[in-house]
């Protein structure tokens, strides 16, 4: 496949089976990682987090399992549960914390 990686063509795959963490770690797998688009799947152990970082791309989170807290800007935060989607504007700082064992994927897009 020319653009997609870590996925087989014509084989169904449950989104929750794409990546799994072991122990108290975060696991991730990229399907697309290009200059303008990233699609990544994450699996977090309860309590694990990614500190706030600056992202120049617009971001969509889709929570597959569990609950996560997204912290953005200076003091804003929102809790997302399985099945929920959140979009964030470009050029902001954000971080993610797992409030339970959790899986999600995010899509980052830069024009």
């Amino acid at each position: 496949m020319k653009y997609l990686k870590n996925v087989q063509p014509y084989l169904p795959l449950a989104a929750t089976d794409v990546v799994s963490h072991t122990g108290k770690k975060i696991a991730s797998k990229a399907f697309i990682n290009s200059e303008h688009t990233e699609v990544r799947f994450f699996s977090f152990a309860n309590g694990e987090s990614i500190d706030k970082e600056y992202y120049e791309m617009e971001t969509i989170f889709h929570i597959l399992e569990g609950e996560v807290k997204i912290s953005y800007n200076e003091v804003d935060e929102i809790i997302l549960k399985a099945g929920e989607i959140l979009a964030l504007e470009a050029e902001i700082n954000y971080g993610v914390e797992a409030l339970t064992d959790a899986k999600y994927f995010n899509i980052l897009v830069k024009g």
Side-chain angles (χ1 to χ4, degrees), residues 1-17:
M1 293 178 46
K2 185 174 180 179
Y3 301 104
L4 296 174
K5 60 183 181 178
N6 296 315
V7 63
Q8 297 297 316
Y10 312 111
L11 291 177
L13 176 63
T16 54
D17 292 342

Side-chain angles (χ1 to χ4, degrees), residues 11-54:
L11 291 177
L13 176 63
T16 54
D17 292 342
V18 170
V19 66
S20 294
H21 65 274
T22 56
K24 287 293 214 180
K25 295 185 178 184
I26 299 170
S28 68
K29 186 176 284 187
F31 275 10
I32 299 173
N33 189 8
S34 70
E35 181 181 352
H36 297 286
T37 308
E38 293 181 24
V39 176
R40 296 185 182 274
F41 285 75
F42 290 88
S43 180
F44 279 63
N46 181 16
E48 293 301 308
S49 63
I50 297 174
D51 292 336
K52 281 186 187 175
E53 296 179 19
Y54 175 79

Side-chain angles (χ1 to χ4, degrees), residues 6-107:
N6 296 315
V7 63
Q8 297 297 316
Y10 312 111
L11 291 177
L13 176 63
T16 54
D17 292 342
V18 170
V19 66
S20 294
H21 65 274
T22 56
K24 287 293 214 180
K25 295 185 178 184
I26 299 170
S28 68
K29 186 176 284 187
F31 275 10
I32 299 173
N33 189 8
S34 70
E35 181 181 352
H36 297 286
T37 308
E38 293 181 24
V39 176
R40 296 185 182 274
F41 285 75
F42 290 88
S43 180
F44 279 63
N46 181 16
E48 293 301 308
S49 63
I50 297 174
D51 292 336
K52 281 186 187 175
E53 296 179 19
Y54 175 79
Y55 292 88
E56 62 181 18
M57 303 170 101
E58 294 177 353
T59 304
I60 293 175
F61 290 91
H62 182 183
I63 311 307
L64 302 168
E65 289 182 351
E67 278 185 32
V68 299
K69 177 171 65 175
I70 309 293
S71 301
Y72 58 99
N73 294 327
E74 295 301 318
V75 295
D76 298 313
E77 60 186 39
I78 189 164
I79 295 174
L80 298 174
K81 299 177 182 176
E84 294 183 323
I85 294 173
L86 175 72
L88 296 178
E89 296 177 314
E91 300 181 10
I92 66 167
N93 292 310
Y94 67 78
V96 180
E97 178 184 356
L99 302 177
T100 65
D101 283 356
K103 293 183 179 184
Y104 71 88
F105 74 89
N106 67 351
I107 301 168

